[in-house]
Amino acid sequence: MSSLHKSRIADFQDVLKEPSIVLEKLRELSFSGIPCEGGLRCLCWKILLNYLPLERASWTSILAKQRGLYSQFLREMIIQPGIAKANMGVSREDVTFEDHPLNPNPESRWNTYFKDNEVLLQIDKDVRRLCPDISFFQRATEYPCLLILDPQNEFETLRKRVEQTTLKSQTVARNRSGVTNMSSPHKNSTPPALNEYEVLPNGCEAHWEVVERILFIYAKLNPGIAYVQGMNEIVGPLYYTFATDPNSEWKEHAEADTFFCFTNLMAEIRDNFIKSLDDSQCGITYKMEKVYSTLKDKDVELYLKLQEQNIKPQFFAFRWLTLLLSQEFLLPDVIRIWDSLFADDNRFDFLLLVCCAMLILIREQLLEGDFTVNMRLLQDYPITDVCQILQKAKELQDSK
């Protein structure tokens, strides 16, 4: 470890040990990248995403409260109607004359259960292929959810619920703006067959199952948006970062902490996933056009070239912006980009500058290429040095 890196770690520790953390200092440090040593990134992200307050003294009570609340969500939303503790002789009170599996009443708990299955099937399909370039999400978590997997209970896991449903996949495919593929060709998006996954013993669960639970609970709590394909790519890096925290006490609660950080992040970007808002000032269309207007201001020659070839920002910037570049780079690079995004006071204005920087850094290839070549460049971005991209975006920001 270099002396410079040790110095940066010390700088973070000095800021984070203060009774009241100075947010401006933390943002300034985090913008240039957060060290992963000592769980620094995990802690900084929780502060930058407004999960933890700036007052250190309140952390313990807030974490206990939020983690308890998440356990309550698990009890209320994962355990299906019709399941009872058979070994304790609990009666099937959920199956009554008024409420039964064939009850067409929209208020019926059974009707809600079957509708939830439609959302769950889409989530399941997406989380099983999460980050296929690494094996992390297929491996067993050290901290399975004992509330769900307790052998004393007969609670149904989401995985079993998916296995038992007979709904057809075409009834649940809910894609944004008719986009049929939100995955980058840069990544292998082909999921292995179900029988190719490692079979985990009873009492164990894979990391992707934890992510599935987070997304399902989010969908239940936010019925207006529920689940839209691509949300899995937002929650994945968050969960990976928290689930690899060297602090075992914090790692044990990675699921709950991820849920609340994901919820806070989605509160800022959820408009990108709502089609009815596309053409509003907070919608994704406006943001894509902002990328091009910024490019026009910074490099009019390149802007005119793309216009001449009728290369619309929808062809590439939709995925860049909606998924926070999580499909354009490998996971460690995505996490480094997110350090800067989360640290910037106007984080998603900075994202627009990052997208603009990505275009300018390949300007020579784009100016020389035809439509086919340029579309390939933009949909399979060639530069892997994210620090170079972030530096260029900072230059654009400073030149305003």
Side-chain angles (χ1 to χ4, degrees), residues 30 140 202:
S30 301
N202 290 336

Side-chain angles (χ1 to χ4, degrees), residues 87-112:
N87 61 329
M88 295 182 67
V90 179
S91 64
R92 293 283 295 273
E93 293 180 357
D94 52 293
V95 181
T96 65
F97 180 76
E98 293 81 13
D99 195 4
H100 51 81
L102 299 181
N103 188 347
N105 188 336
E107 303 299 320
S108 163
R109 284 187 298 166
W110 280 100
N111 188 59
T112 299

Side-chain angles (χ1 to χ4, degrees), residues 162-210:
V162 168
E163 290 170 354
Q164 292 169 2
T165 188
T166 57
L167 290 174
K168 296 182 180 179
S169 60
Q170 61 263 32
T171 68
V172 301
R174 188 181 183 203
N175 227 332
R176 265 299 273 116
S177 292
V179 176
T180 56
N181 179 19
M182 292 185 70
S183 297
S184 167
H186 184 66
K187 294 186 175 184
N188 175 20
S189 61
T190 304
L194 292 183
N195 58 5
E196 292 180 13
Y197 286 103
E198 179 183 357
V199 177
L200 300 178
N202 290 336
C204 296
E205 61 181 355
H207 288 291
W208 67 261
E209 294 182 76
V210 181

Side-chain angles (χ1 to χ4, degrees), residues 84-238:
K85 295 181 179 178
N87 61 329
M88 295 182 67
V90 179
S91 64
R92 293 283 295 273
E93 293 180 357
D94 52 293
V95 181
T96 65
F97 180 76
E98 293 81 13
D99 195 4
H100 51 81
L102 299 181
N103 188 347
N105 188 336
E107 303 299 320
S108 163
R109 284 187 298 166
W110 280 100
N111 188 59
T112 299
Y113 174 73
F114 294 134
K115 284 187 176 298
D116 288 345
N117 276 357
E118 298 180 8
V119 176
L120 178 58
L121 279 178
Q122 183 63 53
I123 293 173
D124 186 80
K125 185 174 80 170
D126 292 343
V127 296
R128 286 177 184 267
R129 60 190 180 194
L130 190 60
C131 297
D133 48 303
I134 62 172
S135 63
F136 170 81
F137 288 96
Q138 311 307 324
R139 298 202 306 263
T141 172
E142 296 175 54
Y143 301 101
C145 181
L146 298 180
L147 183 64
I148 303 295
L149 299 176
D150 184 351
Q152 297 299 314
N153 298 322
E154 293 189 356
F155 297 152
E156 183 183 54
T157 65
L158 294 184
R159 178 174 55 177
K160 289 180 180 177
R161 184 165 165 176
V162 168
E163 290 170 354
Q164 292 169 2
T165 188
T166 57
L167 290 174
K168 296 182 180 179
S169 60
Q170 61 263 32
T171 68
V172 301
R174 188 181 183 203
N175 227 332
R176 265 299 273 116
S177 292
V179 176
T180 56
N181 179 19
M182 292 185 70
S183 297
S184 167
H186 184 66
K187 294 186 175 184
N188 175 20
S189 61
T190 304
L194 292 183
N195 58 5
E196 292 180 13
Y197 286 103
E198 179 183 357
V199 177
L200 300 178
N202 290 336
C204 296
E205 61 181 355
H207 288 291
W208 67 261
E209 294 182 76
V210 181
V211 174
E212 180 172 68
R213 212 160 36 234
I214 292 169
L215 289 168
F216 181 73
I217 291 177
Y218 178 84
K220 288 281 290 177
L221 290 172
N222 297 271
I225 185 172
Y227 173 77
V228 180
Q229 187 183 40
M231 290 181 182
N232 57 309
E233 305 293 349
I234 302 296
V235 75
L238 287 174

